Structures are given as structure tokens and as C-alpha cells.
Amino acid sequence: MPHNLRRLSAGVCLVAAPLFYIAGLVVDPALRAGDQADGAYGRHPGQVSVSAALLHWSWVLLVPGIIGMIHLVRRRAVLFGHVAGVVALLGVVNFSALMLGDFFYARLEADLGTAEGDRLADAAFAAGGALWGFQVPGFLGLLGVLLLGLTLAYDKRVPWWAPPAMVIGMLAGPVYPIGMIVGSLLYVAGAGVIGLRMLRMSDAEWAADPAPAQSPASGNVAATV
């Protein structure tokens, strides 16, 4: 893929991912129901389908963005940044897979009632190892996103506040309503500023390592030669 397409795809995906995430949270009927959340999936299976699909794509869109972030780790803490990036990638794909469970909860609650539907869905998740197979790796992935972003900040590629804002926004988003409002703003700001910096880079900046700073002494030697 040409360098400009890689840069554009990574930047656009980082800007778009939080928008899909916020939309998925807003559509989620259980988050909006408050005290009436019990059985909300069974009462609104159509909304659950839309919400789960949006949330799934919010995690999928992060993948090109994270790959773009890894690409920019080229001067400082390179090994650390690449390891953090791999952990981040593995984590977000696990969260993406978890969204499929929402469809099952909605269908089981609608057909069997809230109590029995939730019991069967919980049993299926437990038997499938959802906690250690998907949820724990997913949260480790968020830690990877934070560490990868901080590596870029250490290299002065992005602001220091952007990576924590991204991750805090993801975690706070499902806490309705204050967490959703604050978390949405943080996620959009953090991911957006990183994505926009990618989009504003020239193809040369994206493709090549920046030239190392030249000391005055080396400059004098070069001039003498």
C-alpha cells in the first residue's frame, strides 16, 4: 500500500473509532434504561443489534490506527513501543469479538425471559472462557494502547495527555450519563489529536526517520571539510 494511503487510513480510522464507539453506547438500550436496565436487551433486540455492530466496528477501526501509531515509533523506546503495540492489537480484537455476545443476550432474553435468558448466556460465556479468553486480554490491550501512546509522547510525536484521554474515555464511556459525556469528549480529543497529526504529516515525514539533530561541533567539522 502506498505511504499516503497508509497514513490516511490510520489517521481517518483513529478519528472515526471514537465516533463509532460513542454511537454504539448511545444506542445501547441497557445503558439508557438506568434502573430499568434489567431485561432491556430482550425488550429492544433491534437496538442491541445496531449497538453491538457499531461497537464492533469501533474496535475494528482502532486496528489500522494502532498500526499507524506503531509505525511512528522509530527513534526512542522502539522495542518497548512495538511490544506495547502488539498487546494493544491483540486486546482490541478481543473486545471486538465480545460484541457478538450482545446478540445472544438479546435473543435469549426475548425468547426465554430475562432470568432464564441471562442464565443461559452467562453459562455459555463461562463455559467458553470469556473472562480469561477475551475480557482480560481486552483490558490488557487498553493498557497496550496507553503505553504505545506514551511511547509516542516520549518521542514528542503526540501530546502527553492524548493517550490517557483515549483510554480513560473508553473506560468511562459506558458509565451513563456523566461518564458517557466526559468519556466521549476525552476519547474524541485523545484519538482525534493523534489521528489529525497523522493526517497532517507529509508523505516524507510518514515514510522516513527524521534527520538526527546536528550538533554545532559536527556542523563546524562538516563546513571545514
Side-chain angles (χ1 to χ4, degrees):
M1 182 185 293
H3 290 303
N4 62 329
L5 291 181
R6 294 176 188 172
R7 176 177 58 81
L8 290 173
S9 62
V12 169
C13 286
L14 275 178
V15 173
L19 302 180
F20 275 73
Y21 186 72
I22 295 164
L25 294 179
V26 170
V27 177
D28 190 318
L31 291 181
R32 301 193 316 272
D35 294 338
Q36 304 299 319
D38 195 31
Y41 274 25
R43 294 193 302 270
H44 308 286
Q47 294 179 33
V48 173
S49 297
V50 174
S51 171
L54 288 169
L55 291 172
H56 158 74
W57 277 104
S58 76
W59 297 115
V60 171
L61 287 169
L62 270 181
V63 171
I66 291 171
I67 292 174
M69 292 170 68
I70 296 172
H71 173 77
L72 294 178
V73 180
R74 298 197 297 263
R75 295 184 301 191
R76 298 180 176 179
V78 175
L79 178 59
F80 179 84
H82 280 70
V83 171
V86 169
V87 173
L89 287 172
L90 293 175
V92 299
V93 298
N94 276 279
F95 271 150
S96 170
L98 274 178
M99 297 303 102
L100 188 63
D102 289 358
F103 294 95
F104 289 97
Y105 273 97
R107 190 71 268 159
L108 289 170
E109 283 188 5
D111 289 354
L112 302 176
T114 301
E116 183 64 11
D118 285 351
R119 185 190 69 79
L120 287 174
D122 290 344
F125 267 73
L131 176 62
W132 292 102
F134 295 90
Q135 291 173 318
V136 171
F139 283 107
L140 287 175
L142 296 189
L143 177 61
V145 172
L146 175 63
L147 296 177
L148 172 61
L150 291 176
T151 304
L152 289 177
Y154 176 63
D155 198 21
K156 302 186 185 304
R157 294 282 196 172
V158 301
W160 281 102
W161 59 265
M166 264 184 87
V167 175
I168 293 172
M170 293 181 206
L171 295 173
V175 183
Y176 185 86
I178 301 300
M180 184 180 293
I181 296 171
V182 175
S184 297
L185 293 174
L186 289 173
Y187 191 5
V188 168
V193 73
I194 298 174
L196 288 175
R197 288 205 172 189
M198 291 181 182
L199 293 174
R200 290 171 179 168
M201 284 181 178
S202 67
D203 291 340
E205 289 176 311
W206 175 263
D209 290 334
Q214 190 178 49
S215 67
S218 63
N220 292 335
V221 171
T224 303
V225 174

